[in-house]
Amino acid sequence: MTKSKVLFVVLLLVVGFMGCKQSKPIETIDVSELTIAAIHRAYQEGTYTSNQLVKAYLHRIEDIDSTINSITTINPKALDIANQLDKEYQKTGILRPLHGIPIIVKDNINTAGLPTTAGALALKDYIPDEDALIIKKLVEAGAILIAKSNMAEWAFSPMHTESSTAGTTRNPYNITYVPAGSSGGTAASVAANFGTIGLGTDTGNSIRGPSSHCALVGFRTTLGLVSRSAIVPLYLRNDVVGPMCRTVEDATKVLEVMVGYDPKDPITKNSQGKVPANYSEFLLNDGLVGARIGVLRELSDDDPHPEIKALFEKALYHLDSLGATVIDPVVIPDFSIVRQNQWCASFREDIEDFLANYVQSDSLKSIESIIRAGTNSDFARDRLERNAANNGRWENPEIPCLSAYKDSKRIAFREAIEKVMDSLKLDAIVYPSWNHPPARIDFYQQEYKGDNSQIISPHTGQPAFTVPMGYTNKNLPAGLQFLGRMYDEPTLIRLTYSYEQGTKHRRAPNLQ
């Protein structure tokens, strides 16, 4: 832990003890694997307060985060907010949906009064005056923003989590391995029990990859379901923000709060009329009974690591034993063709709009000014230069890039998949989130293999959820991914919850 983080934590603990006359010793609160429901029961039973819980999490961060380096900023107001929520509950006897639930937020999401750096030197002094809309919603629901988390600089890397502002984050299951990227700081911190719930962003992989590598549940929701305003973009046509949690139930409760139309993110208008009043009603133990699940062998059998292949085959067995009909294989006609030429580089346009609308600095207006600000990461430097030189379709610049919902290539890709899903009456398609285990940090580029998350949902806009699938012989987690139809989060919640409850793969890392 850096010197500034230690000072923050010490200050918070001192302030907290002064503000709470009868404080339960933080050592007696076991924060490992706590859920929203368990915390709310504790509040109702008087086992501990929000203030005491926040102290316990801060104590754990102070003790352990120096090992994995996942936290960038501690919120100095966290204990004050917890005190206010405790007083509110004492007065009303009512708990808000996320009342007193500590959340860790990726460092590219605007948070009032706290740095939002996207891991970059160019934004190291940027402190927003206002929360992003999704943060406002979470705070209104009672969540306590306890800390910001490290990320791959500018969200460029799906492979590892390295930033110029905070360095490299390590996988809590084995610190010589990556937690993937770019939301690796959120994944590592939530997996290590530094907070109850977390937020990440996903342009191609960055919620589901780190969640898979850290034995978490990660929701990449339908493009347009959740606002992305006041979030540092990568490629806005692909960007999604979503929950990264230890359970499907917690991720669902976070999602419920976040959804909805935002005039500052026009694509969310497409979600109107497509959001159920309550996502939690789909948390059904028998949710796989009668379901039809397709197996996309074109992904799962693409050079898989033998241990991941074995875990995937076991997952298919579990789906069957839990009541699903497994259709194996499912073939998407011309899959290798329709998936081509999907990536469009819009970083210049998107980041320059963000700088103009939010940062508003005379010295920071363009990608060139970002490059001049410098970077400590060779990987980020290369990606900045590539994005400065390219602003179109990566594989074939002659094919124009249209907006997310009007791009004919994206539409054709989505229709090819949904047509097969409709013809076979599939509820979802499954494949491993990664076909290979996490790479070693020192060899992350050479060992980066099998990232299936990049291939479909970022381009089609479809929702895709990952849940723990098991572990390799080296205790490295693997994830099972469920792909659904547009705005069919209710079905994915039902299926993933049933699979999670029927397998119980999630276990905490062995951290002292």
Side-chain angles (χ1 to χ4, degrees):
M1 181 177 288
T2 64
K3 183 177 180 181
S4 61
K5 273 194 261 180
V6 172
L7 291 174
F8 259 135
V9 172
V10 171
L11 174 62
L12 287 171
L13 292 175
V14 170
V15 171
F17 282 122
M18 291 174 62
C20 186
K21 295 180 181 179
Q22 294 180 336
S23 178
K24 184 181 181 75
I26 57 177
E27 292 84 359
T28 67
I29 301 177
D30 183 3
V31 298
S32 61
E33 304 302 283
L34 281 178
T35 63
I36 295 169
I39 291 169
H40 280 178
R41 282 195 301 272
Y43 292 164
Q44 291 166 338
E45 294 167 2
T47 307
Y48 49 76
T49 65
S50 299
N51 177 282
Q52 292 161 358
L53 179 63
V54 169
K55 287 176 187 171
Y57 275 124
L58 292 174
H59 187 263
R60 184 170 175 82
I61 292 170
E62 182 183 16
D63 276 355
I64 297 176
D65 190 51
S66 59
T67 301
I68 61 177
N69 194 41
S70 62
I71 300 298
T72 58
T73 304
I74 298 291
N75 183 2
K77 296 181 179 180
L79 282 170
D80 287 340
I81 295 167
N83 284 333
Q84 293 168 13
L85 288 166
D86 287 336
K87 291 176 182 177
E88 177 186 314
Y89 179 55
Q90 288 175 354
K91 182 178 180 180
T92 67
I94 298 172
L95 293 172
R96 304 189 213 179
L98 299 177
H99 198 107
I101 303 299
I103 184 171
I104 295 171
V105 175
K106 186 176 180 180
D107 196 20
N108 60 347
I109 302 172
N110 275 11
T111 47
L114 296 175
T116 297
T117 73
L121 296 178
L123 294 180
K124 65 181 177 63
D125 298 321
Y126 171 52
I127 300 177
D129 295 326
E130 187 177 4
D131 286 332
L133 177 64
I134 56 166
I135 300 299
K136 290 179 182 178
K137 289 185 172 187
L138 292 164
V139 169
E140 287 170 3
I144 302 171
L145 200 170
I146 190 172
K148 301 287 287 284
S149 55
N150 195 28
M151 60 179 285
E153 191 163 334
W154 298 112
F156 283 144
S157 178
M159 295 180 268
H160 70 318
T161 296
E162 177 193 33
S163 72
S164 286
T165 54
T168 299
T169 297
R170 300 177 178 274
N171 192 314
Y173 287 87
N174 187 321
I175 62 172
T176 62
Y177 288 80
V178 300
S182 63
S183 308
T186 299
S189 60
V190 173
N193 292 287
F194 294 161
T196 312
I197 54 179
L199 280 188
T201 61
D202 189 316
T203 304
N205 150 91
S206 298
I207 287 172
R208 294 156 297 144
S211 293
S212 173
H213 278 18
C214 294
L216 296 181
V217 173
F219 284 7
R220 180 186 166 98
T221 53
T222 302
L223 185 64
L225 183 65
V226 178
S227 167
R228 293 91 40 86
S229 66
I231 299 175
V232 183
L234 178 49
Y235 302 147
L236 197 57
R237 59 185 275 116
N238 286 28
D239 290 350
V240 164
V241 59
M244 301 171 69
C245 300
R246 290 183 293 274
T247 70
V248 174
E249 180 177 351
D250 280 2
T252 300
K253 289 178 177 179
V254 174
L255 176 63
E256 281 183 333
V257 171
M258 294 169 63
V259 297
Y261 174 58
D262 177 8
K264 292 184 178 180
D265 187 7
I267 200 171
T268 58
K269 190 172 183 178
N270 293 286
S271 70
Q272 292 181 316
K274 300 171 185 174
V275 178
N278 179 5
Y279 282 107
S280 292
E281 66 180 300
F282 302 101
L283 295 166
L284 304 172
N285 280 294
D286 61 354
L288 280 164
V289 174
R292 292 175 60 82
I293 309 293
V295 181
L296 190 54
R297 291 286 177 184
E298 195 152 356
L299 293 187
S300 66
D301 289 356
D302 184 11
D303 186 32
H305 186 280
E307 290 186 64
I308 303 298
K309 181 175 177 59
L311 290 172
F312 182 62
E313 298 302 329
K314 190 173 182 179
L316 298 181
Y317 168 80
H318 283 140
L319 291 171
D320 178 82
S321 66
L322 291 166
T325 297
V326 178
I327 293 85
D328 185 7
V330 166
V331 177
I332 309 296
D334 300 319
F335 182 72
S336 62
I337 296 174
V338 294
R339 62 180 276 192
Q340 292 178 359
N341 294 310
Q342 292 291 342
W343 282 106
C344 284
S346 59
F347 181 71
R348 175 186 286 277
E349 175 185 351
D350 297 336
I351 194 62
E352 290 179 356
D353 281 348
F354 180 88
L355 295 175
N357 291 327
Y358 295 102
V359 180
Q360 299 179 347
S361 167
D362 290 339
S363 62
L364 196 65
K365 293 185 175 182
S366 66
I367 192 171
E368 285 77 17
S369 60
I370 289 172
I371 292 172
R372 286 195 296 271
T375 175
N376 296 328
S377 166
D378 291 338
F379 184 92
R381 183 179 299 105
D382 173 72
R383 289 298 189 272
L384 281 168
E385 292 171 353
R386 287 173 59 183
N387 278 280
N390 295 280
N391 196 38
R393 211 170 288 269
W394 282 112
E395 296 173 75
N396 189 343
E398 295 181 3
I399 303 175
C401 289
L402 303 178
S403 61
Y405 270 76
K406 295 180 180 179
D407 193 307
S408 60
K409 289 195 68 62
R410 302 186 75 157
I411 294 169
F413 193 10
R414 181 170 64 248
E415 288 180 344
I417 293 169
E418 292 192 339
K419 183 176 181 180
V420 171
M421 292 183 72
D422 291 344
S423 68
L424 296 175
K425 299 180 180 179
L426 300 179
D427 293 286
I429 291 173
V430 296
Y431 41 87
S433 296
W434 286 61
N435 283 347
H436 282 253
R440 291 173 293 173
I441 289 173
D442 292 340
F443 304 95
Y444 71 89
Q445 295 196 65
Q446 301 95 309
E447 295 179 1
Y448 172 69
K449 296 179 181 179
D451 178 0
N452 289 326
S453 297
Q454 304 270 3
I455 295 169
I456 301 176
S457 62
H459 311 295
T460 65
Q462 294 169 262
F465 295 0
T466 186
V467 291
M469 184 172 70
Y471 304 82
T472 70
N473 292 334
K474 292 182 178 180
N475 194 39
L476 293 168
L480 176 66
Q481 194 157 154
F482 290 72
L483 177 76
R485 291 176 177 80
M486 297 288 283
Y487 295 100
D488 199 12
E489 278 75 11
T491 295
L492 292 188
I493 288 168
R494 173 169 57 84
L495 301 178
T496 54
Y497 181 75
S498 182
Y499 174 78
E500 173 198 57
Q501 294 301 300
T503 56
K504 299 287 187 180
H505 285 307
R506 164 72 194 173
R507 63 173 181 251
N510 184 21
L511 291 167
Q512 301 301 323

